[in-house]
Amino acid sequence: MNPVEKLPLVVLISGSGSNLQAIIDGALQDLPADIRAVISNRADAYGLERAGRAGIETRVLDHRKFPDRESYDRSLADLVESHEPALVVLAGFMRILTPEFVRRFQGRMINIHPSLLPKYRGLHTHQRALDAGDSVHGASVHFVTEELDGGPVILQARVPVLSGDDADILAARVLKKEHIIYPTVVRWIAEGKVCMRDGRIFKGGRELEAPEILDDGGAAGG
């Protein structure tokens, strides 16, 4: 069997970059991904240091230096495209993207969100799950569309909500699963197992009627 060609990625971050680190760690093993650049809108994002240590090119494009969201996103899109990625990975990129940006990368941009979408789009998801009395919480990897946190979901991980949990404890439990499911989806896309067509997800040639679910053993369907 021929080895899978490495999928060229650009990763966008705003903060610590722990999901970026999970992808870097995977690429150092057998994840068929070539991280061509890590781009941040914040110069103090710790993820830039993670990328630098791994020998990955880093760029900062500060949104505060642009007059509006549209001009920033046009420059960001041009910067991303200059690295010729097959996939754009949002890993804690804390900006709402303009429709123009999303359309430019439609079908080749993914995001990870700390809830079981469609529940709890937006911020403060862990506290919202606690406030609602949920017994199960989790994270979702989805293709990005113009609807905030509304793109079709590829893979989810579920975690129990335990007595005594606060938002920080629950977030830490979810984050461990995020570090599994994000590289998993990157692998599926790199291996040609997953794609989005006409707003629908296909895996292994068949349409996914519902997201794949990470099982209790820490693995998802291949």
Side-chain angles (χ1 to χ4, degrees):
M1 181 181 295
N2 293 328
V4 176
E5 185 176 348
K6 289 188 176 182
L7 186 73
L9 311 180
V10 168
V11 183
L12 304 185
I13 64 169
S14 295
S16 69
S18 69
N19 275 304
L20 164 66
Q21 187 66 60
I23 295 170
I24 291 172
D25 292 345
L28 290 173
Q29 299 178 51
D30 63 349
L31 180 65
D34 172 21
I35 306 173
R36 293 189 171 177
V38 172
I39 302 170
S40 176
N41 64 310
R42 298 179 58 94
D44 61 352
Y46 183 66
L48 295 170
E49 185 173 328
R50 296 180 189 270
R53 288 200 302 264
I56 298 167
E57 180 179 342
T58 62
R59 297 288 299 272
V60 175
L61 192 66
D62 189 341
H63 61 278
R64 295 171 298 182
K65 296 182 179 179
F66 289 79
D68 52 44
R69 190 178 298 275
E70 288 74 18
S71 60
Y72 177 80
D73 276 14
R74 283 193 293 271
S75 291
L76 178 62
D78 289 343
L79 178 58
V80 170
E81 285 282 28
S82 71
H83 296 281
E84 300 183 339
L87 185 67
V88 179
V89 177
L90 307 182
F93 188 63
M94 301 302 291
R95 287 186 57 80
I96 296 174
L97 296 166
T98 58
E100 179 184 358
F101 185 98
V102 173
R103 286 193 294 269
R104 189 161 170 180
F105 297 101
Q106 192 84 55
R108 56 186 178 119
M109 181 162 56
I110 58 174
N111 182 47
I112 190 161
H113 183 72
S115 80
L116 295 174
L117 292 171
K119 278 190 169 184
Y120 313 130
R121 299 176 184 180
L123 302 175
H124 311 301
T125 61
H126 309 300
Q127 189 60 54
R128 289 159 68 190
L130 291 169
D131 292 345
D134 290 352
S135 61
V136 178
H137 187 43
S140 306
V141 181
H142 65 95
F143 281 105
V144 177
T145 63
E146 294 178 36
E147 183 181 3
L148 177 65
D149 299 327
V153 178
I154 307 161
L155 176 62
Q156 293 182 322
R158 298 174 179 172
V159 303
V161 180
L162 304 178
S163 175
D165 276 352
D166 61 20
D168 290 338
I169 293 171
L170 185 55
R173 189 177 304 122
V174 171
L175 190 61
K176 289 181 181 179
K177 297 296 188 181
E178 291 182 32
H179 295 164
I180 298 171
I181 63 174
Y182 220 7
T184 296
V185 170
V186 171
R187 179 184 300 280
W188 287 349
I189 294 172
E191 293 176 348
K193 294 179 178 177
V194 165
C195 67
M196 185 176 80
R197 296 197 302 269
D198 299 322
R200 297 175 294 168
I201 295 176
F202 292 83
K203 183 171 183 282
R206 66 177 181 86
E207 184 177 355
L208 279 186
E209 300 294 339
E212 295 276 15
I213 304 295
L214 184 79
D215 68 28
D216 292 338

